[in-house]
Amino acid sequence: MSTSAKEPRVITSVLVANRGEIARRVFRTARSLGLSTVAVYSTADADAPYVDEADAAVHLPGNAPGETYLRGELVIEAALRAGADAVHPGYGFLSENAGFAQAVIEAGLTWIGPPVDAISSMGSKIEAKKLMAAAGVPVLAELTPAEVSEADLPVLVKASAGGGGRGMRVVSRLADLPGEIEAASAEALSAFGDGTVFCERYLPAGRHVEVQILADQHGTIWAVGERECSIQRRHQKVVEEAPSPLVSRIPSMRPLLFDAARKAAAAISYVGAGTVEFLADEDGNFYFLEMNTRLQVEHPVTEETTGLDLVELQIAVADGLKLSDEPPPTVGHAIEVRLYAEDPHHDWQPQTGVLHKFAVDPSVRVDSGVEDGSIVSPYYDSMLAKVVAFGPDRTAVARRLAGVLERATIHGVGTNRDLLAWILRHPAFLAGETDTAFFATHGIGGAAGSAEMAALAAALADAAGRTGPVRVPSGWRNLASQPQRKSYRVGETTYDVEYRLTRDGLVVEGNIQLVESSPERVVLEIDGVRRVFEVAAYDGLVCVGSVNLIPVPRFVDPSEQVAAGSLVAPMPGTVIRVGVKVGEVVKQGQPLLWLEAMKMEHTIAAPVDGVVGELKVEAGQQVEVGAVLAVVGENA
């Protein structure tokens, strides 16, 4: 901390060195404490909600994190210019950067975070594991890449610096190890500026359990309950809950976990809020993974089950507060889901664009960085919101949260909303079977509602909105004639709709009756069951329930077509690697290029067997969505 127990300082104004949801979250508590707030924002974030909510805001020119939120000197300068006397780092970006914390302190500002030495100690996972082992905390043995043998497989290659799933690879074949180490090292270097990686034994179906720590400057260390975050994609958490179903099943595990977490904090003289993460097996054995020296994304589930405001306590501890001897008990159950702008059914591909409408039932907690009209840009993480439900019973909480998600209005970008609802209703989840192999075991469900019926509803709503002088809907015919035809694209699939509107009503194939239609609402009776479709049309997009449809024009501009075999960028991003040369023979599915966007690495693979005819990009180049990256022709 920047202050000591002997030299208390009173915080009056807080700059949040972050953006989006976490900036709004910290501002909310700061305002309740009577503190003034300062935001920093990139050019892309100029119109973001958190900027307007701050009492003062300072522009960081540029868009990419390396130009803006990762420029510690600019953030500190902003704090001084705006009159802030404290800096809260949030999570991500500079939150676990010991150099930044030291610079904040040297600038005469209060650092709302742990001591610099504690951050530094946990900054290297390799060194952290050695420290924890010495403190008596269970650890998985570290393996140097040269030591790995067939008997050790599978192993996990991990970046020593950073987290969030970056620089991590699971290796099941010894022959794949060198290539995966190279790839993990390159990704770690790009993400964290440090390409150091190591290996450890991989538990394919482990449980990710973590303990919330809060420590003051007077030697008191709280273990504030545990969370389970086992359901993950790309080693990044999707669903988090407190308490852990595994620990609740093995009650003797909880005191051992808490003791290990307190030992970890004491070993580095920790102060402030932090999280000690463990990998556990079904028998309750657990091993230290890492310590996050910051507030976690999933902190709301701990707040909901304890009644604490962890941000308020962070500020109070920075002000010199002495904690009571014991934390409050955990009561009830809380579940948080991360609502991402992404397509789970296409390799979790992030989605960008205008979020036309965003509304979630206020009966649950919604920590969000977006609102109606927000732009989901390619520069940052694709998380839109954290949706959290709390109650006395885990099953009831899961079902209520699933219903809230299903009824949410989210127009403009595709999300993982339906996947999240599917998880919460899955029998395995309700039974507490939530290991890290959840998706590998159960697949990726939760596809959006019937795209065919959504396309039909979109076409009928469009027809209802196109009336002539006598208010007759478009496509109506007094006598039977050719059907009206419309096409809509959902993802990579095109749905063709045919219908007739006659004096007898809607005529389509199948047992479907049109009950009513308007531009915003279509009611159909399908096989004797009446169903309502809410429709919202925007420029180039029609949203029907949770289905996003792109109208396909009948006539395509030839200049907008690309050559056969072209590989196009699925999103804006940066080309970080090119793995082939012009003239090289490639196989279908072979990785050709790697694109980095929205904190994720995406592989662009050959669509067919063939020869690389053209390479349009090189490493380091920025590309826009739809840009042609390469062309693969057929073998001669």
Side-chain angles (χ1 to χ4, degrees):
M1 311 295 292
S2 66
T3 62
S4 69
K6 296 179 181 178
E7 299 178 21
R9 296 177 60 183
V10 177
I11 296 170
T12 63
S13 177
V14 178
L15 177 141
V16 179
N18 221 292
R19 62 177 297 279
E21 172 269 323
I22 188 58
R24 298 181 89 183
R25 166 70 190 91
V26 176
F27 290 163
R28 185 167 69 245
T29 288
R31 284 194 300 271
S32 74
L33 298 174
L35 307 179
S36 62
T37 56
V38 180
V40 287
Y41 64 95
S42 68
T43 302
D45 278 337
D47 296 321
Y50 80 95
V51 178
D52 287 338
E53 291 174 4
D55 295 309
V58 180
H59 181 215
L60 304 178
N63 291 318
E67 302 173 300
T68 54
Y69 302 108
L70 291 175
R71 293 282 301 277
E73 74 281 10
L74 297 183
V75 173
I76 292 170
E77 180 189 355
L80 296 173
R81 285 168 54 195
D85 50 34
V87 172
H88 191 298
Y91 53 72
F93 293 135
L94 295 168
S95 63
E96 294 178 283
N97 186 305
F100 176 64
Q102 183 63 47
V104 168
I105 294 168
E106 291 175 354
L109 302 166
T110 297
W111 169 248
I112 305 177
V116 172
D117 288 345
I119 299 173
S120 182
S121 297
M122 294 294 101
S124 164
K125 291 185 177 66
I126 294 174
E127 295 306 314
K129 290 181 71 171
K130 293 177 181 177
L131 277 171
M132 294 301 102
V137 178
V139 300
L140 285 170
E142 176 200 338
L143 301 168
T144 62
E147 292 176 323
V148 178
S149 66
E150 289 284 353
D152 298 315
L153 299 175
V155 296
L156 183 65
V157 180
K158 297 179 68 174
S160 181
R166 308 298 302 276
M168 295 178 70
R169 299 289 191 280
V170 176
V171 181
S172 301
R173 298 193 318 144
L174 205 57
D176 296 335
L177 186 61
E180 295 292 5
I181 287 174
E182 181 182 356
S185 179
E187 186 178 6
L189 183 63
S190 171
F192 313 121
D194 183 348
T196 305
V197 298
F198 66 98
C199 301
E200 65 184 17
R201 184 163 59 93
Y202 179 63
L203 301 181
R207 307 283 282 246
H208 189 122
V209 180
E210 59 190 34
V211 179
Q212 175 69 57
I213 287 293
L214 191 70
D216 64 21
Q217 301 176 39
H218 310 275
T220 303
I221 302 173
W222 282 359
V224 195
E226 88 283 344
R227 302 183 285 255
E228 182 161 339
C229 317
S230 299
I231 298 181
Q232 303 177 6
R233 57 97 164 109
R234 293 191 169 195
H235 307 293
Q236 292 178 314
K237 301 162 189 174
V238 177
V239 180
E240 298 117 340
E241 56 184 314
S244 157
L246 174 67
V247 178
S248 297
R249 178 167 60 82
I250 309 174
S252 60
M253 185 179 174
R254 184 168 287 125
L256 297 175
L257 264 176
F258 287 8
D259 181 62
R262 284 190 292 262
K263 284 180 179 177
I268 59 173
S269 301
Y270 199 79
V271 176
T275 298
V276 187
E277 301 195 352
F278 299 94
L279 186 64
D281 63 25
E282 293 296 329
D283 296 324
N285 303 306
F286 59 87
Y287 309 93
F288 174 82
L289 277 175
E290 62 183 356
M291 185 172 183
N292 293 127
T293 54
R294 54 170 168 81
L295 197 66
Q296 290 281 87
V297 177
E298 58 272 22
H299 76 273
V301 294
T302 297
E303 293 184 325
E304 294 297 312
T305 52
T306 61
L308 296 173
D309 182 328
L310 291 175
V311 174
E312 180 178 349
L313 287 168
Q314 283 186 295
I315 294 170
V317 165
D319 257 341
L321 170 79
K322 187 179 189 306
L323 298 171
S324 60
D325 290 339
E326 296 292 334
T330 295
V331 177
H333 202 95
I335 302 175
E336 170 183 295
V337 293
R338 299 191 191 188
L339 184 65
Y340 284 105
E342 67 182 13
D343 184 350
H345 301 279
H346 290 87
D347 197 28
W348 312 98
Q349 182 176 304
Q351 307 292 293
T352 59
V354 179
L355 188 62
H356 297 289
K357 185 75 175 176
F358 183 78
V360 181
D361 188 334
S363 67
V364 297
R365 174 173 173 174
V366 181
D367 286 10
S368 171
V370 297
E371 58 186 18
D372 292 358
S374 289
I375 304 295
V376 182
S377 81
Y379 300 106
Y380 316 112
D381 184 271
S382 64
M383 188 175 74
L384 301 178
K386 303 178 311 193
V387 187
V388 190
F390 168 75
D393 175 75
R394 180 177 183 269
T395 298
V397 169
R399 287 174 174 161
R400 182 160 68 94
L401 186 53
V404 166
L405 289 168
E406 289 169 340
R407 292 189 298 274
T409 301
I410 309 169
H411 293 167
V413 294
T415 73
N416 65 338
R417 177 255 302 272
D418 295 297
L419 171 69
L420 296 173
W422 173 81
I423 293 170
L424 294 167
R425 295 191 187 281
H426 199 285
F429 179 86
L430 296 175
E433 299 167 4
T434 55
D435 60 41
T436 54
F438 190 88
F439 291 134
T441 302
H442 304 291
I444 301 173
S450 171
E452 293 90 345
M453 289 299 102
L456 177 58
L460 294 172
D462 181 59
R466 296 174 182 270
T467 57
V470 292
R471 310 297 296 172
V472 176
S474 172
W476 188 89
R477 295 291 185 272
N478 186 45
L479 300 172
S481 182
Q482 294 297 310
Q484 294 286 101
R485 296 182 175 88
K486 294 183 183 295
S487 297
Y488 298 90
R489 193 173 72 250
V490 178
E492 297 176 356
T493 304
T494 298
Y495 295 90
D496 298 315
V497 176
E498 290 191 355
Y499 65 92
R500 292 186 179 89
L501 285 172
T502 71
R503 65 175 66 189
D504 297 320
L506 170 71
V507 178
V508 296
E509 291 187 8
N511 189 16
I512 302 174
Q513 301 291 325
L514 174 63
V515 179
E516 65 176 81
S517 65
S518 72
E520 294 82 28
R521 187 171 186 266
V522 172
V523 181
L524 299 175
E525 190 172 286
I526 306 168
D527 294 327
V529 179
R530 184 169 293 192
R531 301 193 183 278
V532 178
F533 298 84
E534 302 293 340
V535 183
Y538 305 96
D539 185 22
L541 177 71
V542 182
C543 299
V544 181
S546 62
V547 183
N548 291 325
L549 304 112
I550 298 175
V552 178
R554 293 184 64 185
F555 305 103
V556 180
D557 185 342
S559 66
E560 296 179 358
Q561 295 181 307
V562 297
S566 295
L567 284 74
V568 299
M571 70 206 76
T574 303
V575 178
I576 54 175
R577 280 188 291 156
V578 178
V580 292
K581 297 178 181 179
V582 172
E584 188 171 331
V585 177
V586 296
K587 295 289 186 181
Q588 182 178 7
Q590 177 182 334
L592 306 185
L593 307 103
W594 287 263
L595 188 68
E596 184 177 69
M598 302 176 86
K599 294 179 65 177
M600 296 174 69
E601 184 177 299
H602 307 272
T603 301
I604 309 298
V608 294
D609 293 350
V611 177
V612 179
E614 295 181 69
L615 276 176
K616 303 279 191 178
V617 294
E618 58 186 22
Q621 184 173 335
Q622 293 275 344
V623 296
E624 295 299 321
V625 62
V628 177
L629 308 176
V631 179
V632 176
E634 295 183 2
N635 285 312

